[in-house]
Amino acid sequence: MTNPRADRVKDVAKLVGRSSRTRRRQFLVEGPQAVREALRAHRDCLVAGGTAVVDEVYASRECLDRYPEFDEFFESTQESGGSQLQMRIASELVLAAMSDTVKPQGIIAVCRFVDVPLGEVLAAKPLLLALLCRVQDPGNAGTLLRAADAAGADAVIFSNSSVDVYNPKAVRSTAGSLFHLPVVLGADPSTVAALCRKAGLGVLAADGYGALNLDQLQDESAARSFEQQTPESAYQLESPTLWLFGNEAQGLSAAELELVDHRVAVPVYGAAESLNLGTAGTVCLYASARAQRRPS
Amino acid sequence: MTNPRADRVKDVAKLVGRSSRTRRRQFLVEGPQAVREALRAHRDCLVAGGTAVVDEVYASRECLDRYPEFDEFFESTQESGGSQLQMRIASELVLAAMSDTVKPQGIIAVCRFVDVPLGEVLAAKPLLLALLCRVQDPGNAGTLLRAADAAGADAVIFSNSSVDVYNPKAVRSTAGSLFHLPVVLGADPSTVAALCRKAGLGVLAADGYGALNLDQLQDESAARSFEQQTPESAYQLESPTLWLFGNEAQGLSAAELELVDHRVAVPVYGAAESLNLGTAGTVCLYASARAQRRPS
């Protein structure tokens, strides 16, 4: 493909906009790393008898020469049969016309929406969940999803009126994590809190004004693993937990704070007025992950 | 001031570019929160007999009406005498012409460079330092500076060939932290490592392939505080520490890794290939801060 004005190119480029994404339930994934993760998820899904994740891949000859794994992947999926996956060589001009980036990275995949219903997440008996309430910046949404993936969270839930996680900038920021753990979109926070509580999870808010201190919860959790007698706060960090994280500028609203069992502050040791969303989210999720995975 | 083409406006706007900043040793600070932190630092410096931090402030009438603290600040500094600080009312058009943002937030300060020499940092007997090696993205640089501030780090050091921390986007990302803790710029990593080691700091690299595991170091540190007998790794996290963090895409170079005592990995519990720079830096600095501040 060499004509950047071809109908097919325009069709792909439309997925940069939210309305086309929503209507077609497809989104764009750009760059070798993210496309690799999408293709892995695609293969794993098909092997497990599920539906396709990737519908089309467009790559430059240079990119395929540089990353021979893509050709190998296409050969192996063709051999295993049943895949509808289309793979086409495209010029850099075509790739640039398909993307919203100035420098496309040589490969673009058109993927199907991967979000799942909350019920599916809860059926898998999760230990660690994150609920992002009204997060607005696509980069923050992607970064938190990647941090939740690194911390081994079982899923990330986005509230209604959050940024679209299928926005190309959000997808880039996830660095492939969108294909690693289940994502729930458009959720109502009070429903999420109620269903998670019913499923045995404690519900915590990351809140700079919280009465509980995250470091103290961590130390108490470590003390329990050493069978030490120490004062005990009202929450055990190793318990199955849903964390609520708020909007970048306003944090959690009064109504959202009403939904939680406890408000937990990440301590600020220096002069910073507050933590940014990514920092607070990372520290909270890692603290839970470590407490839950400590050999007892 | 109402004329966006006035010479003074053009003079301020030139500070969006690095060459003017470097020549005049001045930079722009935008928005109520950051300007407030700059003015606090300015007042604290003058009270301590130091030099000015802020040279000029331009604000809209609306902004001053909304944040009366600024008027109070100017009155109190005038009364205390000796301040050369200039404060002018400017129209939104003038503020937009001075800034690189589409929506200026009603107030802009022209500040003097605040970075200090490494010797000054070491003379204060630091416990926790961060050295950012070849960080390229202004947002990442600012976010890490803010996270280091929150973790109570004693200073942040930027290597030569890092992004300019006085870049307006970096300044915005710090949310005022640039005025909370000392910053060293243009440092040579091998000199920093050698001088820090001489000053009694251990030198650690945040490195996904590190032999030491950060969670294990944290648990061992907690165990020591409980006087538990546990296996001991080669490093005690409560020791005075310099952390090295690498470039966003490539991490630390072989030469940079040669400079450290130990390479420490932040564990990845999920399927993420790696952590991004902000996430890894935050987790490492918070782990050190907590170990150093645990009551023993």
Side-chain angles (χ1 to χ4, degrees):
Chain A
M1 298 172 68
T2 55
N3 177 10
R5 290 157 187 270
D7 283 348
R8 179 184 281 262
V9 176
K10 285 181 190 160
D11 254 19
V12 173
K14 278 184 189 147
L15 294 173
V16 168
R18 185 167 190 166
S19 61
S20 288
R21 287 198 299 271
T22 307
R23 199 174 56 248
R24 288 155 54 183
R25 294 192 58 78
Q26 287 181 318
F27 67 108
L28 296 179
V29 171
E30 298 166 45
Q33 192 204 1
V35 173
R36 187 187 305 127
E37 299 306 300
L39 288 171
R40 273 191 198 149
H42 178 77
R43 185 169 48 192
D44 295 348
C45 258
L46 292 185
V47 167
T51 54
V53 170
V54 185
D55 282 329
E56 302 154 26
V57 175
Y58 303 92
S60 68
R61 181 40 63 203
E62 294 71 29
C63 179
L64 295 181
D65 287 346
R66 192 166 164 197
Y67 302 99
E69 67 216 69
F70 288 114
D71 267 338
E72 286 161 27
F73 174 84
F74 293 116
E75 278 170 32
S76 72
T77 34
Q78 297 301 359
E79 282 164 17
S80 69
S83 169
Q84 303 293 315
L85 179 57
Q86 292 192 36
M87 159 70 191
R88 284 165 185 257
I89 308 289
S91 69
E92 293 287 349
L93 266 180
V94 162
L95 291 168
M98 287 174 169
S99 154
D100 73 329
T101 50
V102 187
K103 291 184 203 165
Q105 295 177 71
I107 189 161
I108 290 177
V110 174
C111 296
R112 298 189 194 173
F113 278 11
V114 291
D115 55 286
V116 299
L118 180 60
E120 191 174 306
V121 167
L122 293 177
K125 306 217 173 300
L127 282 177
L128 182 56
L129 299 176
L131 169 58
L132 309 190
C133 296
R134 296 172 297 114
V135 170
Q136 292 307 302
D137 179 74
N140 284 341
T143 299
L144 269 166
L145 186 53
R146 186 173 169 191
D149 179 19
D154 296 295
V156 174
I157 304 157
F158 290 84
S159 79
N160 40 31
S161 61
S162 294
V163 66
D164 182 13
V165 76
Y166 295 122
N167 168 311
K169 192 172 172 218
V171 173
R172 275 194 295 276
S173 304
T174 70
S177 289
L178 190 51
F179 302 106
H180 293 159
L181 75 172
V183 172
V184 178
L185 300 183
D188 168 55
S190 69
T191 307
V192 174
L195 291 177
C196 284
R197 196 171 281 119
K198 211 171 154 188
L201 284 88
V203 183
L204 300 182
D207 173 24
Y209 301 99
L212 299 186
N213 177 307
L214 186 70
D215 275 4
Q216 203 175 327
L217 294 185
Q218 288 194 79
D219 275 353
E220 289 171 7
S221 175
R224 276 190 292 278
S225 80
F226 300 131
E227 295 175 4
Q228 288 279 319
Q229 300 289 335
T230 56
E232 298 262 319
S233 296
Y235 194 78
Q236 299 200 341
L237 207 54
E238 59 272 30
S239 320
T241 299
L242 166 71
W243 276 101
L244 266 67
F245 304 111
N247 170 273
E248 292 91 338
Q250 300 129 24
L252 289 163
S253 69
E256 287 156 358
L257 286 172
E258 282 293 316
L259 302 174
V260 306
D261 302 324
H262 302 284
R263 306 178 191 186
V264 180
V266 177
V268 173
Y269 294 118
E273 274 187 49
S274 63
L275 297 168
N276 75 5
L277 177 62
T279 304
T282 298
V283 171
C284 291
L285 292 172
Y286 257 91
S288 285
R290 185 159 151 265
Q292 293 177 345
R293 286 155 198 265
R294 189 177 281 122
S296 59
Chain B
M1 299 171 67
T2 55
N3 177 8
R5 290 157 187 269
D7 282 350
R8 178 185 281 264
V9 177
K10 286 183 192 160
D11 255 20
V12 173
K14 277 184 190 149
L15 294 174
V16 169
R18 185 167 192 166
S19 61
S20 289
R21 287 199 298 272
T22 307
R23 199 174 57 247
R24 289 155 55 181
R25 295 192 58 77
Q26 286 181 320
F27 67 108
L28 296 179
V29 171
E30 297 165 46
Q33 191 204 3
V35 172
R36 186 187 306 129
E37 299 305 300
L39 288 170
R40 273 191 198 148
H42 178 78
R43 185 169 51 192
D44 294 349
C45 257
L46 292 183
V47 168
T51 54
V53 170
V54 185
D55 282 329
E56 301 154 26
V57 176
Y58 302 92
S60 68
R61 181 37 65 203
E62 294 70 32
C63 181
L64 295 180
D65 287 345
R66 191 166 165 196
Y67 302 99
E69 67 216 69
F70 288 114
D71 266 340
E72 286 161 25
F73 173 86
F74 292 117
E75 280 170 30
S76 72
T77 36
Q78 297 301 359
E79 282 164 17
S80 70
S83 169
Q84 303 293 313
L85 180 55
Q86 291 191 39
M87 159 69 191
R88 284 166 187 258
I89 308 288
S91 69
E92 292 288 349
L93 266 181
V94 163
L95 291 168
M98 286 174 168
S99 154
D100 74 329
T101 49
V102 187
K103 292 185 202 164
Q105 295 178 70
I107 189 160
I108 290 177
V110 174
C111 296
R112 298 190 194 173
F113 278 10
V114 292
D115 55 287
V116 299
L118 181 62
E120 192 173 303
V121 167
L122 294 176
K125 306 217 175 300
L127 282 177
L128 182 57
L129 298 175
L131 169 57
L132 309 191
C133 296
R134 297 171 297 115
V135 171
Q136 291 307 301
D137 178 74
N140 284 340
T143 299
L144 268 166
L145 187 52
R146 185 173 169 192
D149 179 19
D154 295 295
V156 174
I157 305 158
F158 290 85
S159 80
N160 40 32
S161 60
S162 294
V163 66
D164 181 13
V165 76
Y166 295 123
N167 168 311
K169 191 172 171 215
V171 173
R172 275 194 296 276
S173 304
T174 70
S177 289
L178 191 52
F179 302 106
H180 293 159
L181 75 173
V183 172
V184 178
L185 300 184
D188 169 54
S190 70
T191 308
V192 174
L195 290 176
C196 285
R197 197 170 279 121
K198 211 170 153 187
L201 284 88
V203 183
L204 300 183
D207 173 22
Y209 302 98
L212 299 186
N213 177 306
L214 186 71
D215 274 4
Q216 202 175 330
L217 295 186
Q218 289 195 79
D219 276 352
E220 290 170 8
S221 176
R224 276 189 293 278
S225 79
F226 299 131
E227 295 175 3
Q228 288 281 319
Q229 301 289 335
T230 56
E232 298 262 317
S233 297
Y235 194 78
Q236 300 201 341
L237 206 56
E238 59 270 31
S239 319
T241 299
L242 166 71
W243 277 102
L244 267 65
F245 303 111
N247 169 273
E248 292 91 338
Q250 298 128 25
L252 290 162
S253 70
E256 287 155 357
L257 287 171
E258 281 294 313
L259 302 173
V260 306
D261 302 325
H262 302 284
R263 305 178 192 185
V264 180
V266 178
V268 173
Y269 294 118
E273 273 187 50
S274 63
L275 297 167
N276 76 3
L277 178 61
T279 303
T282 299
V283 172
C284 291
L285 292 171
Y286 257 92
S288 284
R290 182 157 154 267
Q292 293 176 346
R293 285 154 199 264
R294 188 178 281 123
S296 60

